[in-house]
Amino acid sequence: MGMWSALSALLFITHSVCSQTSIRWCTISQQEMGKCSAMATAFSSVSIRPTLRCVKATSANECAKKLMANEVDAFSTSAKDIYEIGKEATFKLAAGESSVDGEGTTYYAVAVVKRTNSQININNLKGKKTCHTGIGRTVGWNMPIGFLIDSGRMSVMACNVTQGVADFFNASCIPGATGQAPSLCQLCVGDDSGAHKCEASNNEKYYSYNGAFRCLVDDTGEVAFVKHTTVGDNTDGKGDAWAQDLKAADFQLLCPDGTRSSVSDYKHCNLARVPSRGIVVHSGIDSTVIYNMLREGLEKSDFSIFSSMAFNGENLLFSDSSTKFIPAGNDDYIHWIGQKYYNILKAMDCSVNDVPESLTWCVLSSGEQNKCVDMAKAFQMKGLSPNIQCLYGNSVDDCMEKIQNKQADAITLDGGYIYTAGKTYGLVPAVGESYTGDTDGSIYYAVAVLKRSDKNIQRFSDLRGKMSCHTGYGRTSGWNIPVGILIEKGLIRPQKCQVAQAAGEFFKASCVPGANEPGLPSNLCSQCIGDSSGQNKCVKGQDLFDGYNGAFRCLVQGAGEVAFVKHSTVFQNTDGNGTDPWTLNLNSRDFQLLCSQESRAEVSQYKQCHLARVPSHAVMVRPDSNPHIVFGLLDKAQQFFGVSNNSDFKMFDSSAYDGSDLIFKDSTISIISVGEKKTYEDWLGQSYMDALIAMECTYSSAVVSSASVLLLTSLVVLLSLLVV
């Protein structure tokens, strides 16, 4: 019965697509109805199929409702509207509009600075003076502020964006921001008489694109948020009187990676690409039918699709500045508008009404419970929002389940638990901890160190038959990650999950402190030397080659040809930084790193050349939670209760509660945003993920694979029966 139900559904869909004789196009005004009717007549006159029928609505939102009710088939609307519609409706994107460049871009939002102001970059905008086109505008407000929030450079407590901006910048001119925080209008000047200051109109000298650029030119602000054409419109002889002596070469763009570039490099150096309008269609319609109909309309009919002059309006049905239609490339609307643009809109898409009354933290001990209660009181006394509540969990898994079931909202977890939280319970990271003051969310990078003089090892396969030094059996950077990478690369293939045996066969000899267990290969301990008296060979915590420094010493003293340690180990024991006799006269330049990309690099290049980025702890929440609300709360809180404050309550100190690392690790220097690492996979990093997965039992993977093959075979047989 199930097979025939599936066949019936398939035949219905096929019939619907093949019998698409007309397309019901949604319009949002009387002028659009007029243009749509004229377009339908023009298309029909040259026998374009399917034919067009026009349906009237009052807004893009109403068109979306009609689409869901199957009362219309298609309409064109802006990328911002597509984002809004995507929250409620299910649809396909059939095509996009484009100018002659064929890229489907309206413009790029950029941050412009003077070339002479060489100190400023995208990472140090806090405390700077800024020029904006106007509050609520795309290029001067939504894109730059959304970018700063989404990337974690700016925090906003309780979705109060204007206050967040006021706290972040020293002073600004944001026309239209009157009645908000005073600093948002502080740099505005009004008209020649000083009237109309901060008004969202041409009465304000620094309003709109040219005005925001002029604010920069006058040295009133240090950075102007405008579109990519603004500098060109006002330099090298173009523009009004105030711009006549300006040269484009005297200005630069701030790039997201912290660098700067020429104003002509806007395609690579921008804060956001603002996409052109897209053609939204009903999920049951074949996208190519719509795209082909519009393309033929351009080629075969005399109708001016991208002009609204004859119908007394602007941008009717389609944008007047477009020249062609291009395939959307994917049914999913996020693919068309772009993940970056989507994330920026999402970061700005928050109001006071979206802030929950409280955030419930899941705690695991009486000490953590006591600290949580004190944290809730301390936060409340400073007026921080949302409030903190505390809920006792029986175990980490119980807490993760409570969060999944909406009984709790947050818990701080380490890497192994983050993996489980994401994979099993669908949780996502909201904020991370930083133990170094860096913002990349790493505890450290796991690296493979070689002597520069050893030219025999150029890639991972060259490690076969070599001698190796490890921090300890079962440890992250010294065992799990390097052995996981060897498995992932197919260089070792454990039989029946016997990973240690496979590693023992791969390496000629090793020192893996702690591998002195019955049943493990003896050569995993053969390079160890024991303690200072020669006793306790290969004993974890006692062998001189144990731990990070011990594994590096093993390499230095020739007991191994590669040492698996963390990125800071070499620097801590070379260039005069080491205190033990064996470190004397060691130079960091005498060592190199072996990269997982099968190359070698300098020890200072660990961010590009490493085996894995070992991630710091992260606060995990449900995917429907707003991470910017969580970061906004904790970032504001650490200004009062962080490491540099003398407050009674301390976020990163557990000594008053008879424990350590309660709620947050005591070694935390600051709470950081997850930035672009919005999923558990992104936070853990691909190399760390690969090592974790590779170290899982390969036998169970084989069973899963066999089951998958059996299922796939069954599906193929079923489909062949349906076709017959």
Side-chain angles (χ1 to χ4, degrees):
M1 184 66 185
M3 182 190 298
W4 296 117
S5 297
L7 183 57
S8 299
L10 183 63
L11 289 172
F12 174 76
I13 293 169
T14 306
H15 174 74
S16 298
V17 172
C18 295
S19 63
Q20 197 74 52
T21 56
S22 69
I23 296 295
R24 298 164 295 177
W25 201 276
C26 194
T27 68
I28 62 170
S29 67
Q30 196 58 49
Q31 291 107 308
E32 281 204 349
M33 272 296 283
K35 182 175 178 179
C36 180
S37 298
M39 185 168 75
T41 302
F43 282 16
S44 181
S45 67
V46 288
S47 302
I48 292 174
R49 296 288 182 270
T51 58
L52 265 180
R53 282 173 49 207
C54 306
V55 179
K56 189 161 185 233
T58 56
S59 65
N61 188 47
E62 191 184 343
C63 282
K65 288 177 180 175
K66 287 182 179 293
L67 193 80
M68 290 298 287
N70 200 20
E71 294 171 13
V72 299
D73 299 311
F75 61 97
S76 170
T77 193
S78 70
K80 177 73 162 57
D81 282 340
I82 291 170
Y83 166 80
E84 294 292 342
I85 293 165
K87 295 179 198 174
E88 306 289 339
T90 305
F91 56 88
K92 290 180 184 177
L93 214 64
E97 298 179 29
S98 179
S99 58
V100 285
D101 62 11
E103 291 183 355
T105 302
T106 300
Y107 48 71
Y108 294 88
V110 295
V112 182
V113 294
K114 286 189 172 180
R115 181 182 287 275
T116 51
N117 189 357
S118 58
Q119 301 305 310
I120 197 168
N121 65 63
I122 201 72
N123 297 320
N124 63 12
L125 289 181
K126 188 175 175 64
K128 299 297 188 289
K129 294 183 291 184
T130 58
C131 310
H132 306 249
T133 58
I135 197 161
R137 293 187 56 160
T138 300
V139 126
W141 179 259
N142 290 331
M143 293 300 105
I145 305 306
F147 169 82
L148 291 170
I149 295 171
D150 179 63
S151 63
R153 292 173 171 86
M154 178 190 295
S155 70
V156 173
M157 190 180 75
C159 294
N160 191 338
V161 176
T162 51
Q163 188 58 52
V165 172
D167 292 343
F168 188 77
F169 295 126
N170 177 284
S172 307
C173 177
I174 310 174
T178 47
Q180 308 282 350
S183 67
L184 303 184
C185 286
Q186 188 176 325
L187 302 184
C188 295
V189 293
D191 60 16
D192 291 338
S193 65
H196 304 287
K197 182 177 177 179
C198 205
E199 192 175 280
S201 75
N202 289 325
N203 292 324
E204 165 59 61
K205 188 163 70 168
Y206 294 155
Y207 174 66
S208 198
Y209 306 116
N210 295 349
F213 181 53
R214 187 174 184 178
C215 166
L216 170 69
V217 169
D218 291 348
D219 285 325
T220 305
E222 298 165 274
V223 57
F225 299 111
V226 290
K227 62 180 177 179
H228 71 280
T229 55
T230 304
V231 176
D233 290 341
N234 293 280
T235 54
D236 302 329
K238 294 180 183 176
D240 294 334
W242 62 269
Q244 286 308 298
D245 296 327
L246 301 176
K247 293 182 173 58
D250 292 333
F251 300 91
Q252 288 185 313
L253 305 180
L254 302 184
C255 311
D257 63 0
T259 61
R260 293 163 54 137
S261 195
S262 68
V263 292
S264 61
D265 193 31
Y266 56 84
K267 285 187 180 180
H268 302 106
C269 179
N270 61 74
L271 305 186
R273 166 191 171 268
V274 179
S276 304
R277 291 166 62 124
I279 314 299
V280 173
V281 301
H282 190 276
S283 298
I285 301 286
D286 184 349
S287 300
T288 57
V289 170
I290 306 290
Y291 171 67
N292 289 333
M293 179 191 74
L294 293 170
R295 186 174 52 79
E296 284 185 41
L298 276 175
E299 294 171 359
K300 296 180 180 178
S301 78
D302 295 329
F303 186 74
S304 298
I305 290 177
F306 300 119
S307 174
S308 304
M309 286 176 59
F311 304 95
N312 301 316
E314 291 183 349
N315 303 318
L316 302 178
L317 297 183
F318 310 103
S319 173
D320 294 341
S321 60
S322 296
T323 60
K324 61 167 72 170
F325 295 105
I326 58 176
N330 194 303
D331 285 343
D332 183 6
Y333 73 95
I334 296 177
H335 180 272
W336 170 253
I337 68 175
Q339 191 68 54
K340 188 175 177 182
Y341 179 79
Y342 175 85
N343 289 341
I344 285 173
L345 290 181
K346 199 169 181 186
M348 293 296 284
D349 193 8
C350 188
S351 69
V352 178
N353 297 329
D354 298 320
V355 182
E357 195 173 311
S358 62
L359 189 74
T360 301
W361 213 282
C362 198
V363 297
L364 292 165
S365 66
S366 57
E368 212 165 52
Q369 170 76 8
N370 293 336
K371 184 178 180 180
C372 182
V373 169
D374 285 353
M375 181 168 79
K377 290 176 183 173
F379 284 16
Q380 195 167 23
M381 286 184 69
K382 291 294 183 182
L384 306 185
S385 178
N387 293 322
I388 293 289
Q389 289 193 336
C390 313
L391 181 69
Y392 212 105
N394 298 323
S395 64
V396 177
D397 280 281
D398 182 45
C399 277
M400 292 190 283
E401 191 173 334
K402 278 180 163 61
I403 296 170
Q404 184 185 41
N405 296 334
K406 301 191 176 183
Q407 294 170 269
D409 298 307
I411 187 173
T412 312
L413 300 174
D414 70 8
Y417 279 123
I418 289 170
Y419 179 71
T420 305
K423 185 179 179 184
T424 307
Y425 296 94
L427 307 187
V428 297
V431 301
E433 296 177 343
S434 173
Y435 317 116
T436 61
D438 203 343
T439 58
D440 74 347
S442 303
I443 298 178
Y444 58 81
Y445 292 87
V447 296
V449 182
L450 311 166
K451 289 182 178 178
R452 182 184 289 275
S453 57
D454 185 352
K455 303 298 183 185
N456 294 322
I457 302 172
Q458 298 294 328
R459 56 191 62 82
F460 264 78
S461 58
D462 296 336
L463 293 176
R464 188 182 299 277
K466 300 295 192 293
M467 298 181 296
S468 59
C469 308
H470 305 253
T471 58
Y473 184 63
R475 291 187 60 169
T476 301
S477 64
W479 182 259
N480 292 343
I481 286 173
V483 173
I485 282 178
L486 291 173
I487 296 170
E488 194 250 330
K489 287 181 178 289
L491 295 172
I492 64 176
R493 291 186 171 86
Q495 300 298 312
K496 297 180 181 177
C497 303
Q498 294 183 316
V499 174
Q501 281 74 7
E505 291 170 11
F506 181 80
F507 293 112
K508 176 183 176 183
S510 306
C511 177
V512 189
N516 55 339
E517 297 178 8
L520 297 187
S522 59
N523 70 330
L524 293 182
C525 286
S526 62
Q527 298 306 102
C528 295
I529 58 172
D531 57 24
S532 55
S533 61
Q535 302 299 307
N536 297 306
K537 182 178 178 180
C538 203
V539 175
K540 188 176 286 190
Q542 297 189 56
D543 197 289
L544 291 175
F545 289 166
D546 178 78
Y548 300 116
N549 294 345
F552 183 53
R553 182 178 183 177
C554 165
L555 172 70
V556 167
Q557 296 185 345
E561 296 157 280
V562 59
F564 298 109
V565 291
K566 63 179 177 178
H567 72 278
S568 57
T569 304
V570 175
F571 305 114
Q572 288 166 351
N573 293 284
T574 59
D575 304 331
N577 295 320
T579 54
D580 293 331
W582 65 270
T583 66
L584 295 177
N585 303 317
L586 290 181
N587 291 311
S588 59
R589 66 174 178 271
D590 292 332
F591 300 92
Q592 284 189 307
L593 303 179
L594 180 64
C595 314
S596 58
Q597 303 94 325
E598 309 291 8
S599 58
R600 288 171 63 145
E602 301 305 316
V603 290
S604 60
Q605 295 176 297
Y606 57 85
K607 285 193 177 182
Q608 294 77 40
C609 173
H610 54 259
L611 309 189
R613 164 190 165 274
V614 179
S616 66
H617 291 198
V619 176
M620 300 297 286
V621 299
R622 285 184 307 282
D624 61 356
S625 298
N626 187 326
H628 305 300
I629 291 175
V630 181
F631 178 53
L633 169 67
L634 297 179
D635 188 42
K636 192 74 172 176
Q638 69 183 347
Q639 294 175 25
F640 300 111
F641 311 111
V643 289
S644 58
N645 294 285
N646 296 318
S647 56
D648 290 337
F649 175 75
K650 292 177 170 41
M651 289 172 68
F652 312 131
D653 184 351
S654 305
S655 57
Y657 304 95
D658 298 323
S660 61
D661 301 332
L662 302 178
I663 301 179
F664 305 107
K665 270 180 76 82
D666 294 339
S667 57
T668 303
I669 290 176
S670 63
I671 292 294
I672 57 172
S673 163
V674 297
E676 294 178 354
K677 304 181 182 80
K678 300 182 195 305
T679 65
Y680 81 97
E681 297 102 327
D682 292 338
W683 182 257
L684 294 176
Q686 194 58 53
S687 52
Y688 186 83
M689 284 281 296
D690 288 343
L692 279 175
I693 293 165
M695 288 293 282
E696 288 181 343
C697 184
T698 51
Y699 176 71
S700 63
S701 298
V703 172
V704 171
S705 297
S706 299
S708 300
V709 169
L710 183 62
L711 177 61
L712 186 60
T713 305
S714 302
L715 286 171
V716 170
V717 171
L718 176 61
L719 285 171
S720 65
L721 286 170
L722 287 173
V723 171
V724 172

